[in-house]
Amino acid sequence: MKKFNRVIIIGLDGVPHKLIERYTKSGLMPNLEKLCSSGSFHQMNTVLPEVSSVAWSSFMTGKNPAKTGIFGFFDLVPSTYKMLFSNFQHLKEPTLWSIINRELKKPSIIINMPSTYPVKPMNGAIISGFVSPDLNRSVYPSTILSYIQDMNYKIDIEPQKLYENKESILNELFDILDKRIKITNYLWDKADWKLFASIITGTDRLLHFMMDVFDNKNSPYLSTFEKYFSEIDDFIGLISNRLASDDLLIVLSDHGFESIHYSVYLNNYFIQQNILEERVKSAGCFENLTEKTIAFILDPGRVYIHRQNRYPSGKKLCEESYLDILNNIKNSLYALKSPDGRTVIKNIFHKSDIYTGKYFDYAPDLILIPEEGFALKGSLNTNNIFELPTRHTGFHNCHDAFMSCNIPLDISLKPSIIDVSATILEALCIAPEAYQFDGQSLLIKKNNGVLE
Amino acid sequence: MIDRKGFTIWFTGLSLTTKSLLAEVIEGELLERGLNVEILDEETVDPILGSKPAESIEEIRKNLKKIQFICKLLTRNGVIAIVSAISPTIDIRNEMREGLENFIEVYVKGNTANQDFVSKVNLPDIDIEAIYEEPLNSEVIIESDKELPDASAKKIIKTLELLNWIPKVEYDDYSPEEEAKIQERLESLGYL
């Protein structure tokens, strides 16, 4: 039976399949090309909504958001309109590394994993990723903190300080990447680990601010943009060269990216359609909703019906009225057209279509999938429904993540990020069935069920 | 790996008071801290142990003693045992406590009105609500119809930390300064 001794994950936050396809074919990423051609390379779906906090939470638990309890970077505190920023203590399911520790009594090394702040004691080492406001609470064990501080490690760029200067964004991204690689090297030999995960999140930042560069051959930033991916490829090469013959390497992203045609402020559309009413115009907070509000949006396309028991001034609704409201909102959203006449919403899911789990009641009532080029927003800070891209030229999508592996995989259906946990555990000979994952292992099995 | 002694968390309370849900939340939290933990839920464990649905208090006691025995094996090997069992009488619960070193009882109190049919399905000849005796000396009391599972779990974890049975972790919510920083960061990336 083929089994693996260790699993190594390299995460490239937000990198779309189409970018990897182009850069492996063009020779810009030869190490990744080698991995893709000798092993496997697939387009991958992510969980909805397609933001990193949700996607990485599902990656690290193998569960859908109604089980992880993470539906976005923020939610509203139950029975209030106060914003709650999700963090690691809100994650409701055990992580891969805690399962590996339970089953194999072996450590894991986790570097820059989004949504793991504040870190918890674990067997191994962890450095949390975005959003981590305090480095002291981002690192476990504390014995590695001084090394990290001494190198002037940064978890993320500070985009708010760099808006107007793409050069400084790029310089900072290169610096952070360099330090991330140094830490990966530093921790590689520190323990007899079974799982090693190093996540590069600078890719997501680069694509938020410079997705237009990817599509513009004449951009003055193109060579620097490409150099960034070339350095990432060097990193993949470095890791590939350190692999033992019984190591499994997976390189993957957590969601796709595409260029923004329009940002769409759906709460303003709801105001226009008399679905949402604010006490004070554009006050920018949800405490400002009146009792006449029927529904509202949280980023990126989460629709919440303003119901009694869930919100202080929500309406009391019987099941029939609730379904009527959902239908009216769906019709209204499908009818929305951009200033250049394009349909904005491609698909709408009811929560029962995509979520199951103990935290189902906290899920958004509807999840919206936009047509290509429309970045859906829940902000209440503007009066416009449509805005042309200015600072941000790229936004996430749910269908164009990627996954590459040093072995062929069993891909009869398009894989999802939620399948990765079961794949990792099965590779380490831990039966995924015991953990009731929502995804399934992608390892190829012979007819008798034995791993090939 | 963190080397700690084992202990037992014994959830008592009527059916549908979220004992099992809370047991899973606590299990997840302890696993995340690198601790060894197992759940013994009477609904799933009894059939495996060959325990038949009890028709008397003595049969309930007999079934629970099997679970107690497993707790003893687990905890002496450093594993944390989480039990979810109605365990209806004070006498039975005291017997469980006395037979186990490092034991805390968590009473999950909730409104089970109109839901007693569940108990009757499991225990056909016993009106479990009628015989259930409210605990007098539980280390933690959870009012499951008045608080969210996260808040209940925090109470239990806090108790374990105070007893020094698990390592203490600071779980303060974000400070206002941290929240402002996060908000600014999310705004700058176009998420707000």
Side-chain angles (χ1 to χ4, degrees):
Chain A
M1 181 172 105
K2 173 76 175 170
K3 64 175 183 178
F4 296 89
N5 182 36
R6 310 184 299 182
V7 177
I8 297 93
I9 303 290
I10 299 176
L12 304 181
D13 197 296
V15 174
H17 178 268
K18 67 176 178 182
L19 183 146
I20 298 299
E21 198 167 37
R22 185 191 293 178
Y23 287 166
T24 49
K25 278 183 185 161
S26 72
L28 185 75
M29 302 185 83
N31 291 304
L32 189 51
E33 196 283 325
K34 196 172 154 191
L35 185 74
C36 295
S37 56
S38 62
S40 50
F41 174 51
H42 300 279
Q43 193 183 41
M44 187 173 77
N45 287 327
T46 192
V47 285
L48 296 172
E50 62 280 22
V51 292
S52 295
S53 55
V54 180
W56 288 116
S57 295
S58 286
F59 161 83
M60 65 179 102
T61 60
K63 305 285 171 67
N64 83 90
K67 290 179 185 157
T68 64
I70 307 293
F71 293 100
F73 278 116
F74 65 96
D75 254 298
L76 299 185
V77 177
S79 306
T80 75
Y81 299 102
K82 190 182 176 308
M83 269 201 225
L84 173 75
F85 296 104
S86 62
N87 64 42
F88 199 24
Q89 63 173 311
H90 301 134
L91 187 74
K92 312 291 194 241
E93 292 284 340
T95 54
L96 274 170
W97 48 94
S98 67
I99 293 172
I100 288 169
N101 180 44
R102 170 188 241 181
E103 298 278 351
L104 305 176
K105 312 290 178 228
K106 290 283 187 183
S108 297
I109 307 284
I110 310 295
I111 301 167
N112 196 38
M113 182 65 74
S115 298
T116 55
Y117 180 89
V119 292
K120 301 175 187 181
M122 48 105 66
N123 185 12
I126 183 165
I127 305 168
S128 64
F130 179 76
V131 183
S132 299
D134 177 2
L135 192 61
N136 291 304
R137 295 171 76 193
S138 304
V139 178
Y140 180 88
S142 56
T143 46
I144 60 172
L145 185 61
S146 59
Y147 174 83
I148 289 166
Q149 282 169 328
D150 288 350
M151 72 171 358
N152 205 13
Y153 178 84
K154 275 188 185 171
I155 285 165
D156 200 2
I157 60 169
E158 295 188 37
Q160 62 273 32
K161 292 182 185 166
L162 305 168
Y163 268 148
E164 311 308 336
N165 189 341
K166 288 192 176 182
E167 294 292 349
S168 21
I169 292 179
L170 286 164
N171 288 340
E172 190 143 329
L173 282 173
F174 277 105
D175 182 51
I176 289 174
L177 177 62
D178 180 54
K179 285 167 181 163
R180 205 90 79 203
I181 294 169
K182 280 196 177 103
I183 285 195
T184 300
N185 285 325
Y186 171 72
L187 291 175
W188 184 271
D189 294 319
K190 287 285 177 215
D192 179 23
W193 46 264
K194 285 287 170 187
L195 174 67
F196 192 106
S198 184
I199 314 299
I200 307 294
T201 41
T203 42
D204 178 273
R205 305 297 176 266
L206 186 68
L207 295 167
H208 268 292
F209 289 95
M210 296 189 201
M211 189 67 202
D212 56 324
V213 174
F214 177 67
D215 291 325
N216 179 5
K217 284 180 185 166
N218 300 318
S219 168
Y221 298 105
L222 185 61
S223 62
T224 321
F225 183 93
E226 290 183 344
K227 186 169 178 281
Y228 190 75
F229 283 95
S230 174
E231 289 203 5
I232 287 173
D233 189 68
D234 291 343
F235 173 52
I236 293 169
L238 182 77
I239 296 292
S240 300
N241 290 336
R242 299 177 95 164
L243 295 184
S245 59
D246 54 356
D247 283 345
L248 181 72
L249 171 65
I250 297 173
V251 183
L252 82 170
S253 59
D254 61 325
H255 54 77
F257 242 96
E258 62 192 38
S259 291
I260 299 177
H261 182 58
Y262 277 112
S263 292
V264 189
Y265 294 88
L266 288 168
N267 280 324
N268 290 332
Y269 180 59
F270 276 9
I271 291 171
Q272 189 194 74
Q273 299 289 305
N274 297 318
I275 295 169
L276 188 153
E277 186 186 78
E278 295 178 289
R279 269 186 207 95
V280 180
K281 204 161 167 42
S282 302
C285 62
F286 292 91
E287 276 106 338
N288 191 35
L289 300 180
T290 74
E291 63 283 354
K292 287 185 184 166
T293 295
I294 298 165
F296 60 90
I297 303 266
L298 297 184
D299 262 39
R302 294 180 281 162
V303 180
Y304 292 84
I305 304 300
H306 194 218
R307 297 183 81 159
Q308 200 184 50
N309 298 331
R310 186 161 179 173
Y311 303 105
S313 57
K315 280 186 169 47
K316 187 174 182 180
L317 296 173
C318 65
E319 192 60 16
E320 198 181 345
S321 314
Y322 171 70
L323 294 174
D324 281 348
I325 285 172
L326 288 183
N327 275 334
N328 290 340
I329 288 174
K330 276 186 187 176
N331 292 338
S332 182
L333 286 164
Y334 278 130
L336 177 62
K337 302 275 186 197
S338 64
D340 55 355
R342 288 175 54 193
T343 299
V344 173
I345 302 297
K346 182 180 181 179
N347 210 345
I348 301 176
F349 292 106
H350 182 253
K351 61 180 178 177
S352 59
D353 299 329
I354 51 175
Y355 299 135
T356 56
K358 281 178 268 184
Y359 296 88
F360 181 79
D361 289 346
Y362 298 91
D365 295 279
L366 298 173
I367 296 280
L368 313 180
I369 310 295
E371 290 286 357
E372 190 172 344
F374 293 104
L376 304 183
K377 306 279 189 184
S379 173
L380 289 163
N381 287 320
T382 172
N383 292 322
N384 301 320
I385 298 174
F386 290 96
E387 286 187 3
L388 289 167
T390 50
R391 290 167 174 167
H392 308 115
T393 60
F395 207 70
H396 305 179
N397 69 33
C398 61
H399 64 274
D400 197 33
F402 82 95
M403 178 182 193
S404 176
C405 188
N406 61 345
I407 55 164
L409 295 172
D410 180 8
I411 308 288
S412 46
L413 293 171
K414 189 176 172 185
S416 162
I417 194 164
I418 215 161
D419 297 323
V420 182
S421 279
T423 307
I424 292 171
L425 288 194
E426 193 168 59
L428 294 172
C429 289
I430 299 170
E433 295 77 22
Y435 291 93
Q436 299 173 327
F437 292 118
D438 290 322
Q440 49 195 324
S441 168
L442 302 171
L443 298 184
I444 295 173
K445 295 176 194 72
K446 290 179 185 167
N447 289 338
N448 59 5
V450 173
L451 297 179
E452 276 192 346
Chain B
M1 187 159 42
I2 301 158
D3 186 21
R4 292 252 159 188
K5 63 183 175 185
F7 55 87
T8 303
I9 308 170
W10 195 284
F11 283 94
T12 173
L14 290 164
S15 291
L16 296 179
T17 50
T18 71
K19 292 191 301 297
S20 301
L21 170 64
L22 271 176
E24 284 177 25
V25 174
I26 297 295
E27 180 200 29
E29 182 60 41
L30 297 176
L31 274 177
E32 283 313 314
R33 297 183 183 207
L35 301 167
N36 297 318
V37 53
E38 296 293 344
I39 292 183
L40 299 164
D41 188 318
E42 65 179 345
E43 287 198 19
T44 50
V45 170
D46 279 355
I48 296 166
L49 297 178
S51 303
K52 292 178 185 156
E55 295 181 353
S56 66
I57 288 181
E58 277 322 298
E59 284 180 6
I60 292 174
R61 187 191 308 274
K62 201 171 141 193
N63 290 348
L64 289 177
K65 277 182 81 78
K66 292 182 193 171
I67 291 178
Q68 183 197 40
F69 178 69
I70 298 174
C71 290
K72 200 178 284 180
L73 298 184
L74 289 172
T75 53
R76 78 179 181 202
N77 285 290
V79 178
I80 300 162
I82 303 177
V83 178
S84 171
I86 297 172
S87 19
T89 67
I90 290 172
D91 180 47
I92 286 178
R93 291 192 295 269
N94 283 344
E95 192 177 333
M96 298 303 124
R97 181 189 289 271
E98 281 158 19
L100 291 165
E101 210 182 325
N102 301 325
F103 177 100
I104 68 160
E105 184 178 282
V106 179
Y107 173 33
V108 186
K109 190 178 178 182
N111 180 10
T112 58
N114 305 320
Q115 297 171 341
D116 53 346
F117 70 93
V118 173
S119 304
K120 283 172 185 163
V121 169
N122 291 335
L123 304 166
D125 294 327
I126 302 177
D127 182 350
I128 202 81
E129 283 206 49
I131 62 162
Y132 190 84
E133 296 168 355
E134 286 217 4
L136 303 174
N137 57 351
S138 297
E139 279 79 359
V140 186
I141 298 174
I142 303 297
E143 298 196 74
S144 65
D145 50 355
K146 292 183 185 158
E147 59 191 50
L148 292 168
D150 279 4
S152 308
K154 268 186 191 169
K155 271 192 202 172
I156 299 164
I157 292 291
K158 187 100 185 154
T159 305
L160 298 175
E161 286 178 345
L162 286 171
L163 290 165
N164 202 22
W165 288 356
I166 60 171
K168 192 168 168 31
V169 177
E170 292 302 334
Y171 277 141
D172 296 339
D173 285 334
Y174 291 130
S175 65
E177 294 74 29
E178 282 185 322
E179 282 203 351
K181 211 185 267 186
I182 292 166
Q183 185 155 355
E184 187 185 23
R185 192 154 285 206
L186 291 175
E187 275 172 358
S188 69
L189 288 166
Y191 292 120
L192 280 172

